[in-house]
């Protein structure tokens, strides 16, 4: 096996197109098969999350492939959460006390198109559209496809196959149904689903509300969020239970009920959304879930990457960022290995990659579920706000000494998600306990407060270590 041999990538979404680009840069012969038409030529609505929060871990991957500047041009900075209460009052809570730490809103289609363009600049990368993978024989390293244009099936042979075919992965299904090895798999749905809506630009193309924030209307059991687009619009997402509560996706069945729900719960958003009813009934309601599985690879033949290996709920804004970070981590293992020349070499690479990476994707999966509760509820809670304000002051005054859990996860791309989770959770526990027990005088000396938090956090981490959590 030489570098000239073929790597088959299944799925040209965000992860697959970045992976193809990186492997292309490394000189491998890469074939990519995507089931949908080319999004650069046909106007296919992404179907889900038209825009996404893009942050440091994703940017680390863009730096790796030399695309940081081009991606920046697609980004709208969001410095914090703009929280809207029922009376229409707003409150901006920055993501960090450090001015240079913020997240970005980016178009899924725009970013995907850029990655495809860049991947195709490499003569050794070939991307084919309208080819749906039906089956993967992970023993023979072959995949069967259906060509939507010619309406025929064909089989593709490869040296290795990497499946980046998203949350509903065919390879993962084949691992599970194949029953040829011990494959563990879990899928947990939230009771809530989501629906995309929109706030259109003004007649002059301006933003109808503040541009540089991620807007949240938290209402305890449900919420609405909005992220800005470059054209002056916002993509709005309603997260709501399917069947619980006074209003839910199952009973919001008439324009009158939808309008009544928004009038009661989100009056200021409704005022910006004359198109609400049309959007509500035109757009699908989709479920949200977490997928964990192991192993990600079969021998040195096949590998899962991105959402196919670890789909997560979107509340930390990290699914795409984590999938991009997968490519960085995989690339590091490739870099450190001698050039793979046989199946055993690939198996070693896949093994090292999974053992380095899985603990981190498990951690972000759990953090994302925690953040669901934080966003829809806790952001409205007084203790939580006190904690956020304190953390903001600590980050501002001691930029090198303190990072909140959110900062550790989102802006500290040099540490893994698991380390960020353990430290961040211990800090949260320390601060919330001390605030609840009035052990912190918020008007007192900030350095003294910082020292207390560091000591208490360390004690919690030591206890966790003894309890075997670390
Ligand atoms: C509502 C929502 C909001 C989100 N918000 C954020 C956010 O703010 N920030 C963030 O970082 N992440 C976010 N995410 C997560 C993010 O969308 C995913 O983590 C990311 O898209 C994963 O990339 P991927 O390439 O692994 O999978 P996908 O993007 O799903 O791409 C998979 C590709 O494979 C193709 N494919 C599927 N099956 C086949 C087949 N059988 N044959 C051939 N091709 C196939 C698909 O057409 C697609 O092009 C959000 C997700 C949702 C649902």
């Amino acid at each position: 096996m030489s570098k000239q041999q073929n790597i088959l990538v299944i799925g040209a979404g965000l992860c697959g197109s970045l992976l193809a680009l990186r492997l292309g840069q490394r000189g491998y012969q890469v074939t990519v098969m995507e089931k949908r038409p080319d999004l650069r030529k046909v106007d296919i609505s992404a179907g889900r999350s038209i825009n996404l929060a893009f942050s440091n871990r994703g940017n680390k991957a863009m730096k790796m492939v030399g695309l940081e500047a081009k991606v920046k041009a697609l980004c709208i900075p969001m410095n914090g959460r703009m929280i809207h209460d029922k009376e229409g009052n707003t409150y901006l809570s920055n993501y960090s006390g450090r001015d240079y730490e913020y997240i970005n809103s980016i178009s899924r289609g725009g970013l995907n198109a850029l990655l495809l363009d860049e991947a195709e600049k490499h003569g050794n990368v070939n991307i084919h559209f309208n080819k749906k993978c039906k089956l993967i024989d992970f023993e023979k390293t072959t995949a069967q496809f259906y060509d939507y244009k010619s309406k025929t099936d064909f089989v593709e042979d490869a040296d290795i196959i990497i499946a980046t075919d998203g949350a509903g992965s065919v390879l993962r299904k084949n691992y599970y149904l194949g029953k040829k090895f011990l494959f563990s798999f879990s899928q947990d749905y939230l009771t809530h689903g989501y629906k995309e809506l929109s706030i259109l630009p003004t007649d002059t193309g301006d933003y109808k509300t503040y541009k540089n924030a991620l807007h949240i209307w938290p209402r305890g059991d449900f919420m609405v969020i909005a992220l800005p687009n470059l054209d002056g619009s916002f993509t709005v997402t309603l997260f709501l239970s399917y069947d619980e509560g006074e209003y839910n996706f199952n009973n919001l069945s008439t324009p009158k009920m939808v309008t009544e729900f928004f009038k009661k719960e989100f009056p200021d958003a409704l005022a910006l959304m004359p198109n609400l009813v049309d959007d509500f009934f035109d757009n699908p309601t989709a479920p949200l879930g977490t997928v964990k599985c192991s192993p990600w690879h079969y021998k040195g033949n096949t590998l899962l990457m991105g959402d196919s290996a670890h789909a997560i709920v979107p509340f930390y804004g990290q699914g795409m960022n984590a999938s991009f970070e997968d490519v960085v981590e995989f690339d590091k293992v490739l870099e450190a290995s001698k050039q793979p020349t046989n199946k055993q070499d690939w198996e070693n690479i896949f093994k090292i990659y999974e053992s380095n990476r899985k603990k981190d994707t498990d951690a972000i999966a759990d953090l994302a579920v925690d953040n669901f509760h934080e966003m829809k509820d806790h952001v409205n809670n007084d203790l939580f706000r006190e904690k956020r304000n304190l953390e903001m002051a600590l980050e501002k005054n001691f930029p090198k000494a303190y990072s909140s859990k959110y900062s550790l996860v989102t802006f500290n791309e040099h540490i893994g998600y698991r380390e960020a989770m353990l430290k961040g959770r211990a800090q949260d526990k320390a601060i919330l306990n001390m605030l609840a027990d009035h052990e912190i005088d918020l008007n007192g000396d900030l350095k003294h407060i910082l020292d207390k938090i560091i000591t208490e956090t360390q004690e919690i981490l030591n206890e966790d270590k003894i309890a075997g959590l670390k």
Side-chain angles (χ1 to χ4, degrees):
M1 190 185 290
S2 78
K3 267 200 174 183
Q4 295 313 310
Q5 287 191 311
N6 200 24
I7 298 180
L8 176 59
V9 174
I10 298 173
L14 293 169
C15 186
S17 50
L18 174 67
L19 178 69
L21 167 58
R22 187 57 183 161
L23 293 173
Q25 288 177 336
R26 281 196 169 274
Y28 291 99
Q29 202 63 41
V30 186
T31 304
V32 186
M33 296 288 181
E34 164 60 45
K35 84 172 167 192
R36 295 192 302 175
D38 187 343
L39 57 79
R40 296 165 297 180
K41 296 183 185 148
V42 183
D43 184 20
I44 39 167
S45 131
R48 54 169 208 173
S49 70
I50 289 158
N51 56 22
L52 305 133
F54 172 79
S55 51
N56 291 34
R57 292 176 197 274
N59 198 45
K60 181 169 67 178
M62 297 307 122
K63 279 185 193 161
M64 174 182 76
V65 292
L67 285 183
E68 192 183 13
K70 285 188 181 169
V71 171
K72 198 166 182 193
L74 302 175
C75 285
I76 301 175
M78 298 185 290
N79 297 304
R81 296 166 167 168
M82 172 80 78
I83 293 157
H84 298 246
D85 71 15
K86 267 195 185 184
E87 284 69 48
N89 302 309
T90 56
Y91 166 84
L92 183 65
S93 167
N94 276 359
Y95 281 117
S96 166
R98 290 170 282 262
D99 293 344
Y100 53 88
E101 289 183 340
Y102 53 85
I103 62 173
N104 302 279
S105 178
I106 196 163
S107 144
R108 180 189 290 272
L111 181 55
N112 208 154
L114 172 66
L115 291 170
L116 290 170
D117 282 346
E118 296 293 326
E120 277 185 339
K121 283 183 184 167
H122 296 267
N124 48 328
V125 176
N126 289 294
I127 307 177
H128 306 275
F129 296 91
N130 301 301
K131 313 274 186 285
K132 179 187 171 160
C133 180
K134 292 170 66 179
L135 190 85
I136 295 168
D137 186 329
F138 48 84
E139 292 279 10
K140 293 189 185 143
T141 327
T142 57
Q144 191 187 337
F145 292 90
Y146 176 73
D147 185 335
Y148 285 109
K149 286 264 162 75
S150 66
K151 302 197 179 353
T152 52
D153 281 357
F154 65 97
V155 172
E156 207 42 35
D157 202 344
D159 296 303
I160 62 164
I161 300 178
I162 304 184
T164 51
D165 52 345
S169 172
V170 172
L171 178 59
R172 200 182 64 232
K173 210 178 291 165
N174 289 169
Y175 280 172
Y176 179 67
L177 296 175
K179 297 195 172 117
K180 292 202 173 151
F181 60 104
L182 297 177
F183 181 65
S184 302
F185 165 61
S186 70
Q187 178 170 290
D188 291 297
Y189 282 114
L190 291 185
T191 51
H192 288 54
Y194 75 96
K195 187 185 279 290
E196 288 198 336
L197 307 164
S198 59
I199 295 174
L200 299 176
T202 63
D203 292 342
T204 51
D206 291 326
Y207 293 89
K208 280 189 185 160
T209 183
Y210 182 60
K211 172 185 172 188
N212 294 110
L214 190 155
H215 293 261
I216 311 183
W217 288 258
R219 295 295 180 263
D221 286 329
F222 49 87
M223 69 171 163
V224 159
I225 67 167
L227 275 74
N229 295 309
L230 288 170
D231 67 357
S233 67
F234 288 81
T235 300
V236 177
T237 312
L238 167 65
F239 296 96
L240 180 70
S241 171
Y242 276 97
D243 55 11
E244 286 164 8
E246 186 186 352
Y247 297 97
N248 55 56
F249 276 126
N250 289 348
N251 72 17
L252 286 179
S253 53
T254 63
K256 188 166 167 274
M257 277 193 79
V258 171
T259 310
E260 176 188 296
F261 173 51
F262 270 71
K263 205 176 256 173
K264 192 168 158 196
E265 299 291 344
F266 314 108
D268 61 332
L270 178 63
L272 308 176
M273 300 167 73
N275 46 313
L276 168 69
V277 167
D278 286 347
D279 280 352
F280 195 94
F281 292 102
D282 284 351
N283 294 344
T285 306
L288 295 160
T290 304
V291 171
K292 288 182 182 172
C293 66
S294 169
W296 289 344
H297 68 99
Y298 181 73
K299 298 185 178 165
N301 296 2
T302 52
L303 176 70
L304 296 163
M305 201 182 281
D307 270 18
S308 71
H310 47 73
I312 64 177
V313 295
F315 304 103
Y316 232 109
Q318 286 294 324
M320 160 188 65
N321 289 288
S323 299
F324 284 165
E325 200 179 49
D326 281 0
V327 180
V328 176
E329 290 301 313
F330 185 67
D331 190 69
K332 270 191 207 162
V333 183
L334 272 183
E335 179 67 32
S337 317
K338 65 177 173 58
Q339 189 185 315
T341 56
N342 58 41
K343 293 280 183 196
Q344 189 56 53
D345 291 344
W346 281 115
E347 182 167 8
N348 291 342
I349 287 168
F350 293 170
K351 265 192 185 150
I352 297 168
Y353 164 67
E354 182 173 348
S355 82
N356 290 348
R357 185 69 181 142
K358 184 158 164 51
K359 61 178 186 336
D360 289 319
T361 57
D362 283 349
I364 191 58
D366 296 346
L367 283 163
V369 174
D370 290 355
N371 229 34
F372 173 48
H373 303 294
E374 180 168 322
M375 283 175 79
K376 71 182 171 49
D377 194 11
H378 302 176
V379 286
N380 256 344
N381 172 299
D382 287 344
L383 198 61
F384 178 85
R385 280 194 189 180
E386 266 186 6
K387 173 174 140 324
R388 274 311 287 164
N389 290 339
L390 172 61
E391 291 191 294
M392 211 61 70
L394 291 172
E395 287 181 338
K396 199 175 168 108
N397 288 283
F398 308 103
K400 293 209 158 51
Y402 191 81
S403 285
S404 69
K405 181 175 77 185
Y406 188 86
S407 286
L408 290 167
V409 171
T410 310
F411 305 123
N412 283 256
E413 69 276 18
H414 54 280
I415 63 169
Y417 286 121
R418 182 167 163 80
E419 188 182 338
M421 177 183 77
L422 292 174
K423 187 167 178 198
R425 281 184 174 171
Q427 272 175 186
D428 281 357
K429 200 168 160 185
I431 299 178
L432 288 170
N433 282 346
M434 287 195 282
L435 283 175
D437 297 344
H438 305 289
E439 281 177 33
I440 295 179
D441 172 9
L442 290 172
N443 299 315
D445 175 42
L446 210 52
K447 177 72 173 70
H448 179 64
I449 296 176
L450 174 67
D451 290 343
K452 264 179 116 166
I453 293 171
I454 291 175
T455 309
E456 185 66 21
T457 300
Q458 199 48 53
E459 275 173 24
I460 294 170
L461 284 170
N462 290 344
E463 282 165 17
D464 287 353
K465 212 171 194 173
I466 293 165
L469 291 175
K470 207 175 172 186

